[in-house]
Amino acid sequence: MKVRIISGAVAVVLLVVVLLLHKTIVFPLCIAAICAIAIFELFRAKGCLRYRISFYAALLYTISAPILQFFHLEQVIEVVMIAAIMILFLDGVVQHKRLKMDQVCFMMVSMLFVTRSLGLLQVLLQSDAQFGLIYVILALCAAWIADTGAYFTGTFLGKHKLCPEVSPKKTIEGFLGGIASTIVVFFVFSLIYGSVAEVKVRYVWVIVIAAACAVISVLGDLTASILKRQCSMKDFGNIMPGHGGVMDRFDSALFTVPVFYVLNTLLSIYHK
């Protein structure tokens, strides 16, 4: 537990530093690093690291996309993405005797989903000069708040299993507790922020987005759990002692960030 707390504290400090430097290239470099490690962990889980051409092609896109996005080179991103996809399938054809097509598809989906999902943080940041940073924080923290709320609620009140074959420790009570925790934190934060920054808040929409993110975060967690079970592994990595790998910490965020982005694009939480 001590190692877990220290590791978590270090991660929080690093996150704060990156957020303070959000207007610099440090932010996209951080996203690129997280995406690259996540891709490495996913490829390793499915035994795809040995297909080096595919791995390096995916890695090139994963690392370059956030950096190119920082310089508003969206067209170049599309070119790199298409090139990476073509290389994956070409590798599948060349190595068809040992590289199965389902592995090619897995690598492609992993590459696109991780990079595009976390890349939306950069979009949130750049698309709204006034509230962009706040939206990034909320989109990221939604998953972690829901997970923390579910953990404590499930520990003390959990009786009914949510999905025992996939994640034995998850309970319905914990699931509801995660939703409630996210709604409360989002609502209180918005109440304080709206008052201090003197901005208008759509409180009903805050509740809707908080609830949606909390629900979808469970889908991300269960999806990762299924993948780990199928690959016979406990954690995706050990880069964060006591927490596991990058995918163990960002599995839910990969789902909450796109949902937050879509809903907030439809109707912004904050406005003047």
Side-chain angles (χ1 to χ4, degrees):
M1 180 61 73
K2 183 179 179 180
V3 174
R4 184 181 177 88
I5 293 174
I6 294 174
S7 179
V10 172
V12 170
V13 172
L14 290 175
L15 177 62
V16 171
V17 172
V18 171
L19 291 176
L20 288 174
L21 299 172
H22 67 278
K23 292 184 179 181
T24 71
I25 199 170
V26 171
F27 190 83
L29 284 175
C30 181
I31 294 178
I34 292 172
C35 289
I37 297 172
I39 289 296
F40 173 82
E41 291 175 349
L42 287 168
F43 277 41
R44 181 175 59 185
K46 290 292 286 184
C48 295
L49 286 180
R50 54 183 171 170
Y51 309 117
R52 295 191 177 185
I53 294 177
S54 292
F55 173 63
Y56 289 134
L59 203 59
L60 174 63
Y61 169 67
T62 296
I63 293 175
S64 65
I67 298 172
L68 291 171
Q69 191 173 1
F70 177 75
F71 293 105
H72 303 284
L73 297 172
E74 284 77 12
Q75 290 183 330
V76 181
I77 296 175
E78 298 303 314
V79 171
V80 176
M81 179 188 71
I82 292 172
I85 293 174
M86 294 303 143
I87 291 173
L88 286 174
F89 281 106
L90 177 61
D91 198 23
V93 172
V94 173
Q95 302 193 68
H96 65 276
K97 290 185 178 181
R98 67 190 192 111
L99 176 53
K100 297 179 180 180
M101 194 52 62
D102 63 327
Q103 289 177 301
V104 173
C105 292
F106 173 82
M107 290 189 286
M108 182 184 67
V109 170
S110 297
M111 175 189 76
L112 293 177
F113 184 59
V114 170
T115 307
R116 303 290 277 198
S117 179
L118 293 183
L120 288 175
L121 293 172
Q122 187 78 12
V123 177
L124 282 170
L125 192 62
Q126 294 178 334
S127 61
D128 195 317
Q130 184 174 5
F131 305 121
L133 180 59
I134 299 298
Y135 290 151
V136 167
I137 294 172
L138 290 176
L140 274 175
C141 290
W144 300 328
I145 293 169
D147 183 60
T148 302
Y151 173 78
F152 285 107
T153 305
T155 299
F156 294 104
L157 302 175
K159 293 182 179 179
H160 304 88
K161 299 296 182 182
L162 179 65
C163 195
E165 293 184 359
V166 177
S167 186
K169 293 183 179 180
K170 289 192 181 302
T171 62
I172 295 177
E173 291 81 4
F175 172 65
L176 297 175
I179 297 174
S181 299
T182 309
I183 291 175
V184 170
V185 173
F186 268 47
F187 191 90
V188 173
F189 175 84
S190 297
L191 190 65
I192 296 173
Y193 178 69
S195 176
V196 173
E198 297 182 347
V199 298
K200 295 180 180 179
V201 182
R202 296 184 172 95
Y203 289 104
V204 173
W205 199 235
V206 169
I207 295 173
V208 171
I209 291 182
C213 287
V215 171
I216 208 68
S217 72
V218 177
L219 175 61
D221 193 35
L222 291 176
T223 300
S225 294
I226 291 174
L227 180 58
K228 285 188 285 187
R229 280 181 175 274
Q230 291 177 349
C231 296
S232 301
M233 59 195 306
K234 182 179 182 296
D235 295 317
F236 282 106
N238 56 5
I239 193 171
M240 296 177 64
H243 292 269
V246 165
M247 275 300 299
D248 293 295
R249 288 296 88 202
F250 284 86
D251 52 2
S252 296
L254 289 173
F255 285 72
T256 59
V257 171
V259 169
F260 182 94
Y261 171 78
V262 169
L263 293 178
N264 193 66
T265 300
L266 290 175
L267 185 64
S268 298
I269 295 177
Y270 309 121
H271 62 102
K272 278 293 188 180

